[in-house]
């Protein structure tokens, strides 16, 4: 069969996947601390036949770019609602290991430990869980993460950045395979939550683009189909 | 096609948000009601190509891999711990809590429950009960011939009689505090029940160890901020529309796919 059909089909498949990325972004447009995602297409070469000089170029989904830009801050006034301004993540201790997150809607456990919405312990700057003593009522978080209550420093919440690439997990968590380091220029804001950084306008535009590109691919397939059928009938008439 | 299900999960999430908002708005006049917020989190990611692995084609390390998200789910509907405005009623048995804490009442089953609704009345036996008739766990009985009741900031209840200048203390109201108020289970009727997440109730004298004061002659209004709720409602509605657009676009792509021959 004509290789242009294969090339187009890989493109169509990639567009379907990109649609999934767009759909996931829009579905998470109200998710606290969600970072939007962008599909990156890459060309890859497939050898055709024995001659290494002859190859076919195809396009496929090559990778992702997480848009790490700041989401808008929504002020809630909650004592344990925390947002990070600038680069950096909170670190939580999940059963699968330490994970990074920007979703800072925390609360206390019945034992007074600072936990996230799933019950994972939020870790301090030294990698330890944070416990707020029972007698402390008004807890204040400083810009650098210092936790004070009753006029005394209790602990410091850890704000970390990943050393290498991030990998996504569910529940707005990221994992960093290459470890984490203390974030340098992050500012902690108490009483606010970082909203999803999905831009609905951009996603809509991308969605329309994907849809039209898909239709264009389809038109190309139909043209190719016609061309081949014309070729066959022309051969047959001779 | 995954994007259909993903968009459907987004629509379901926004719909749930609308339900939470409409319950807040419905309770904008409920005494001592605290608004709730729905929180969401993204679902699992399908790992098509794990970041950090070596590609088979050229042998380089995959920088970001291919991870495709599968949608959104509601995680918690949490209670906002903002206090409603205190409204003066001048009623003798209206009390509001200025600060943290809950009144403990006893359910007919004998179990405790907690409320911030301090619109108290007298039962036929003279006992201090909530407007639904649940007695305060402090068990305060007002003598039938008492002319006037005074409740101090720290919960001391004093009854005054017709021909006596000095009052007689008849009990005191304590306030319950929880380590994690957000962990309380709402039972309806302005009542909450303690759970494993909230920790046990710690009953304290009002004004000590972080619990609030009691204000006689006041009622706590609902803490719902209607303007905020309406703007959230519009946001949820638009979010719903965006996700429905994804469904129709995916549908069109599918119908195009059906024409492939």
């Amino acid at each position: 069969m004509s290789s242009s059909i294969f090339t187009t089909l890989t493109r169509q498949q990639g567009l379907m996947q990109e649609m999934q990325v767009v759909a996931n972004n829009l579905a998470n447009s109200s998710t606290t601390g969600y970072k939007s995602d962008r599909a990156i297409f890459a060309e890859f070469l497939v050898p055709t036949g024995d001659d290494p000089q002859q190859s076919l170029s195809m396009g496929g989904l090559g990778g992702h770019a997480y848009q790490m830009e700041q989401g808008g801050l929504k002020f809630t006034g909650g004592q344990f609602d925390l947002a990070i301004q600038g680069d950096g993540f909170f670190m939580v201790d999940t059963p699968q290991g330490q994970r990074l997150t920007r979703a800072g809607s925390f609360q206390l456990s019945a034992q007074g430990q600072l936990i996230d919405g799933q019950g994972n312990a939020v870790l301090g700057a030294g990698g330890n869980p944070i416990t707020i003593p029972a007698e402390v009522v008004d807890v204040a978080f400083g810009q650098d993460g210092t936790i004070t209550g009753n006029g005394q420093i209790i602990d410091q919440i850890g704000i970390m950045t990943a050393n290498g690439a991030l990998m996504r997990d569910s529940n707005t968590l990221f994992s960093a395979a290459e470890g984490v380091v203390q974030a340098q220029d992050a500012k902690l804001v108490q009483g606010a939550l970082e909203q999803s950084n999905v831009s609905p306008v951009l996603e809509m535009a991308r969605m329309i683009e994907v849809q039209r590109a898909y239709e264009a691919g389809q038109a190309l397939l139909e043209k190719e189909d016609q061309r081949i059928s014309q070729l066959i009938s022309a051969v047959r008439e001779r | 096609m995954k994007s259909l299900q993903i968009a459907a999960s987004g629509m379901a999430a926004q719909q749930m948000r609308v339900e939470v908002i409409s319950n807040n708005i419905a309770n904008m006049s409920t005494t001592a009601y605290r608004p709730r917020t729905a929180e969401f989190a993204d679902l699992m990611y399908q790992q098509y190509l794990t970041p950090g692995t070596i590609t088979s084609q050229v042998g380089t390390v995959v920088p970001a891999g291919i991870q495709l998200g599968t949608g959104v789910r509601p995680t918690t509907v949490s209670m906002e711990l903002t206090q409603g405005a205190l409204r003066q009623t001048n009623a003798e048995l209206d009390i509001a809590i200025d600060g943290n804490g809950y009144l403990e009442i006893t359910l007919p089953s004998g179990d405790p429950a907690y409320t911030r609704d301090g619109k108290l009345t007298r039962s036929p036996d003279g006992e201090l009960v909530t407007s639904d008739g649940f007695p305060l766990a402090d068990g305060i009985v007002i003598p039938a011939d008492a002319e006037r009741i005074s409740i101090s900031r720290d919960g001391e209840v004093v009854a005054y009689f017709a021909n006596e200048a000095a009052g007689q203390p008849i009990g005191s109201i304590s306030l319950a505090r929880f380590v994690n108020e957000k962990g309380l289970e709402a039972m309806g009727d302005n009542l909450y029940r303690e759970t494993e997440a909230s920790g046990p109730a710690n009953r304290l004298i009002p004004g000590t160890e972080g619990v609030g004061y009691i204000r006689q002659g006041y009622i706590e209004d609902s803490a719902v901020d209607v303007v905020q709720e309406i703007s959230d409602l519009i946001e949820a509605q638009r979010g719903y529309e965006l996700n429905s657009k994804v469904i129709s676009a995916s549908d069109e792509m599918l119908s195009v796919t059906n024409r492939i021959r």
Side-chain angles (χ1 to χ4, degrees), chain A residues 78-82 90 106 108 114 122 130 132 138-149 155-157 188-191:
Chain A
Q79 189 174 204
F80 298 113
D81 284 350
L82 304 173
F90 298 111
F106 300 140
L108 289 186
L114 193 65
V122 180
I130 297 163
I132 310 287
D138 283 316
V139 181
F141 291 85
Q143 277 194 359
D144 60 342
T146 315
I147 311 167
T148 49
D155 210 330
Q156 190 180 15
I157 196 164
L188 189 72
V189 183
Q190 189 182 12

Side-chain angles (χ1 to χ4, degrees), chain B residues 24-171:
Chain B
N24 286 343
I25 294 175
N27 283 294
M28 60 177 274
S29 304
T30 303
T31 306
Y33 178 82
R34 286 173 159 182
R36 314 290 148 93
T37 3
E39 294 267 352
F40 305 104
D42 46 0
L43 286 176
M44 297 218 327
Y45 284 80
Q46 288 175 292
Q47 312 285 342
Y48 280 83
L49 186 60
T50 311
T53 51
I54 312 287
T55 58
S56 56
Q57 284 147 11
V58 269
T60 54
V61 173
V62 176
I66 302 175
Q67 295 180 285
L68 294 180
T70 53
V72 65
R73 73 177 173 103
T75 48
T76 45
V77 177
S78 68
M79 178 163 73
E80 284 172 33
L81 299 179
T82 44
Q83 169 151 16
L86 300 188
R87 182 160 46 93
Q88 194 167 19
T89 60
N90 285 326
E92 190 179 56
L93 294 179
D94 281 355
I95 54 171
I97 302 164
D98 188 0
N100 284 320
Y102 293 81
L103 298 168
E104 184 174 322
I105 59 129
T106 311
L107 295 172
S109 63
D111 291 333
Y114 302 89
T115 183
R116 282 179 67 90
D117 178 358
K119 197 150 187 59
L120 303 178
T121 52
R122 240 184 268 206
S123 76
D125 318 325
E127 206 174 357
L128 263 189
V129 295
T130 64
S131 46
D132 283 324
F134 299 118
L136 287 189
D138 300 297
I140 296 161
V141 180
I142 299 168
D145 53 345
E147 214 172 38
R148 187 165 69 80
I149 298 294
S150 138
I151 302 167
S152 70
R153 280 158 57 97
D154 53 2
E156 201 76 37
V157 186
V158 178
Y160 291 89
F161 298 95
N163 40 23
E164 284 173 55
Q168 244 181 55
I170 54 168

Side-chain angles (χ1 to χ4, degrees), chain A residues 16 20 24 26-28 30-32 61 63-64 66 107-110 137 167-168 170-172 211 214 218, chain B residues 1 6 14 17 39-40 42 45-46 64-67 69 71-73 179-180 196 210 246 252-253 256-257 260:
Chain A
M16 282 268 196
Q20 189 177 342
N24 193 51
L26 282 170
N28 284 293
S30 304
T31 302
T32 306
L61 196 53
H64 282 248
Y66 304 127
Q107 51 183 293
L108 289 186
S109 72
V137 181
M167 199 168 111
R168 250 181 217 270
S170 52
N171 297 325
T172 52
Q211 194 190 343
Y214 195 85
Q218 176 61 25
Chain B
M1 196 163 159
I6 294 169
Q14 298 294 355
R17 201 167 158 209
E39 294 267 352
F40 305 104
D42 46 0
Y45 284 80
Q46 288 175 292
I66 302 175
Q67 295 180 285
V72 65
R73 73 177 173 103
V179 176
N180 182 23
E196 213 165 296
V246 175
E252 275 169 48
M253 277 169 75
V256 165
T257 314
I260 291 183

